[in-house]
Amino acid sequence: MLADPSRTILGPDPTHRSCIINGYAFQQDAIHTFNGWQYACFYASAPGAKEPLFIHLSRRKLPAGSWETLVFEDYPQTVDDGHNTVQVNAIQLGICPGDGTIHLSYDHHCDVLRYRHSKVGVATSPEEVNWTPELFTPTLSALPGLSSPEITKLLSYITYPRFVTRGRDLLFSFRTGKAGLGDDHICVYTASEGGTTEIGSYTFLGTHLKGISNNPYIHGLDASPDGTHLYTTWVYREFVHYEGWDDPLDTKHKTQAGPNAATNNRDICYAWSSDGGVRWRSGPRGDVIADLGKGESILPTSPGIVAFEIPKGSGLMNQEAQAVDHEGGVHVLNRDSLDDGVIRWRHYYLSSGDTWTRRALPHVEGVYGGKRGQLIVSREGDLYFVLPHHADPVLTILRASKASRYAEYELVWRGEGFPPTDPLVDKARISHDNVLSVFTRAFTRSEGSVNVVVLDFQL
């Protein structure tokens, strides 16, 4: 069993809202370690007030520094919609290793891009800067270097932005369109040459996933340490037409439940790239199915992409979790009801020998509702599952060891006091010092009060 974690508080969670806004699985890196410092982002209100909310960006020097938090008071967040959660990479944060810039994108659900970046060197020389909002630009509606009418149109209607470190560069992916009717796109940020203080620029790689009367929902986008290989898995959501669906002013699709909800999810799909995201491959032979340099996209009909055929109405969730182990094995956390009619969490695994397996997770109940878990690979190569309960304030951690070929699942920790939340994990830190950092929400001793916290497990 794991020892109980140390716990640090980032700030109060806005529990007065109808929708949870801190902690969603599609925040790929709301907590991220770079250059010996850990960064985390969350929403909170000003002291003594409930509304509006503001983006809080925290950092601490590892292993035991105190959190410093800056607040972007120039952007009030007012929409009560769990989709409009803050994204930061190297923290969705995106941190670009090439120039130490920190990138943030936030508050989207079919909206114009909202984005800001720091000055060059903030993350590469963290002790030389005062941690204040003046390090960052105001909110921008364009990415540096991208200003064509075509890109401007794409960035006018986005959802689910995410940043992914690719070698010394930073990827930015996002969805356009609406639930059940959309596409995913990738841009890449590259630092300026010559070690100057001038900000770098983005280039548009292309539309890597294109929906046809559906949209892909990715579990994640992971890069190999050298940035050459990218891995992504996803489900498709089929579109259900409704009155006014083609009205440009339509907002019905922004509801968190509706005709185009998760019941229309189908299939677990997989593709990868061996050249940083330009050409995408599938199948045992690694056939190229889309070359973004030629304007091509992965389509729902592309050969070899379906890992598991799972029909609509089987409990399949969108945007749960994925991880890639040190040998290139691909792991997906999702759920289905195919075996006995009960929706159960499943571990879908593609070994380095190109064989997919599917196993139900023990030690946890059937999954009811939308709370999603997380996957993470330790420095030693073991796989950890961080799983919330759908209704009770319980958080569970399972381990599948590399030695068992990820086929045996051990209960290693269970704790109470954590309201149902999608937990988030710091993949960069665990590979550095083998500490599992979990971003989640926790009850305080005051009844009804909740904090945003980080749990640190020494593995």
Side-chain angles (χ1 to χ4, degrees):
M1 296 290 286
L2 295 178
D4 284 337
S6 62
R7 180 188 305 195
T8 53
I9 296 173
L10 289 170
D13 185 68
T15 54
H16 66 280
R17 290 272 184 108
S18 298
C19 296
I20 296 169
I21 198 167
N22 290 314
Y24 274 89
F26 46 79
Q27 288 179 272
Q28 181 158 325
D29 284 309
I31 181 167
H32 185 85
T33 291
F34 178 78
N35 193 31
W37 288 66
Q38 189 173 55
Y39 300 81
C41 58
F42 62 101
Y43 278 117
S45 54
K50 288 187 175 181
E51 292 290 338
L53 304 183
F54 299 103
I55 296 164
H56 289 54
L57 180 59
S58 301
R59 70 172 189 172
R60 63 174 173 175
K61 186 176 182 179
L62 296 175
S66 298
W67 288 107
E68 300 175 77
T69 300
L70 62 82
V71 183
F72 293 106
E73 295 182 348
D74 61 339
Y75 184 83
Q77 199 285 335
T78 59
V79 178
D80 193 359
D81 178 350
H83 292 84
N84 293 60
T85 189
V86 65
Q87 300 285 312
V88 243
N89 175 283
I91 315 184
Q92 228 92 292
L93 274 176
I95 295 173
C96 177
D99 64 4
T101 49
I102 300 174
H103 302 243
L104 296 164
S105 188
Y106 42 89
D107 202 16
H108 301 102
H109 193 190
C110 304
D111 294 297
V112 66
L113 174 71
R114 293 166 182 138
Y115 160 86
R116 68 174 87 214
H117 62 78
S118 75
K119 298 176 182 178
V120 169
V122 169
T124 46
S125 302
E127 296 186 81
E128 296 180 11
V129 299
N130 293 320
W131 192 239
T132 66
E134 287 70 33
L135 293 171
F136 290 80
T137 67
T139 296
L140 307 174
S141 59
L143 298 173
L146 292 178
S147 58
S148 71
E150 294 81 8
I151 299 300
T152 299
K153 183 177 180 181
L154 286 179
L155 295 178
S156 70
Y157 202 71
I158 78 168
T159 310
Y160 306 124
R162 68 179 69 218
F163 294 97
V164 179
T165 302
R166 190 195 70 174
R168 291 181 58 78
D169 300 331
L170 184 68
L171 298 176
F172 178 67
S173 75
F174 57 96
R175 189 194 78 185
T176 56
K178 60 184 71 175
L181 202 64
D183 310 316
D184 274 33
H185 315 269
I186 302 182
C187 303
V188 58
Y189 173 85
T190 305
S192 295
E193 296 182 0
T196 69
T197 58
E198 182 180 350
I199 196 71
S201 62
Y202 284 87
T203 55
F204 182 66
L205 289 186
T207 302
H208 61 301
L209 291 167
K210 189 170 185 62
I212 299 177
S213 296
N214 54 32
N215 84 272
Y217 277 109
I218 66 172
H219 296 100
L221 183 64
D222 286 286
S224 60
D226 64 1
T228 58
H229 285 66
L230 296 181
Y231 307 84
T232 190
T233 61
W234 69 95
V235 305
Y236 281 109
R237 180 174 296 180
E238 298 300 316
F239 187 66
V240 176
H241 290 81
Y242 56 90
E243 184 177 354
W245 71 272
D246 55 351
D247 184 342
L249 301 179
D250 169 49
T251 60
K252 294 178 183 177
H253 61 282
K254 291 194 175 190
T255 60
Q256 291 193 303
N260 287 289
T263 187
N264 295 314
N265 293 343
R266 66 160 176 88
D267 297 343
I268 290 181
C269 302
Y270 168 61
W272 79 98
S273 170
S274 57
D275 61 3
V278 177
R279 293 184 297 174
W280 289 86
R281 302 173 181 271
S282 71
R285 297 183 304 177
D287 296 329
V288 175
I289 55 173
D291 186 338
L292 273 57
K294 297 179 180 179
E296 298 172 349
S297 303
I298 302 171
L299 303 175
T301 54
S302 293
I305 61 172
V306 177
F308 289 94
E309 293 186 1
I310 300 176
K312 293 187 297 182
S314 300
L316 195 64
M317 180 54 68
N318 48 284
Q319 302 157 304
E320 189 120 19
Q322 72 170 43
V324 179
D325 63 42
H326 305 324
E327 297 178 352
V330 178
H331 304 263
V332 176
L333 174 66
N334 210 310
R335 72 283 298 270
D336 67 57
S337 60
L338 297 185
D339 292 347
D340 55 9
V342 177
I343 301 174
R344 303 184 189 279
W345 260 314
R346 312 279 178 181
H347 173 208
Y348 309 84
Y349 168 44
L350 175 65
S351 69
S352 54
D354 291 325
T355 300
W356 279 100
T357 58
R358 167 184 166 273
R359 296 184 177 92
L361 295 183
H363 309 297
V364 286
E365 298 179 3
V367 190
Y368 304 94
K371 296 307 168 194
R372 291 162 286 202
Q374 274 293 338
L375 287 177
I376 191 168
V377 178
S378 72
R379 189 171 60 188
E380 283 75 24
D382 295 333
L383 182 68
Y384 287 81
F385 301 78
V386 185
L387 307 170
H389 194 275
H390 64 275
D392 298 333
V394 175
L395 190 66
T396 298
I397 300 179
L398 307 182
R399 176 174 59 209
S401 69
K402 178 181 178 181
S404 74
R405 297 182 183 273
Y406 307 108
E408 299 175 5
Y409 307 95
E410 176 188 4
L411 173 64
V412 294
W413 189 81
R414 180 169 283 152
E416 298 184 354
F418 306 97
T421 308
D422 294 0
L424 305 172
V425 293
D426 186 343
K427 292 184 177 182
R429 183 178 188 186
I430 202 171
S431 63
H432 171 67
D433 60 10
N434 218 32
V435 171
L436 170 57
S437 287
V438 178
F439 174 108
T440 189
R441 301 185 307 142
F443 286 117
T444 66
R445 294 180 179 178
S446 301
E447 185 176 352
S449 180
V450 176
N451 284 326
V452 182
V453 302
V454 176
L455 310 177
D456 290 323
F457 296 87
Q458 180 64 60
L459 303 184

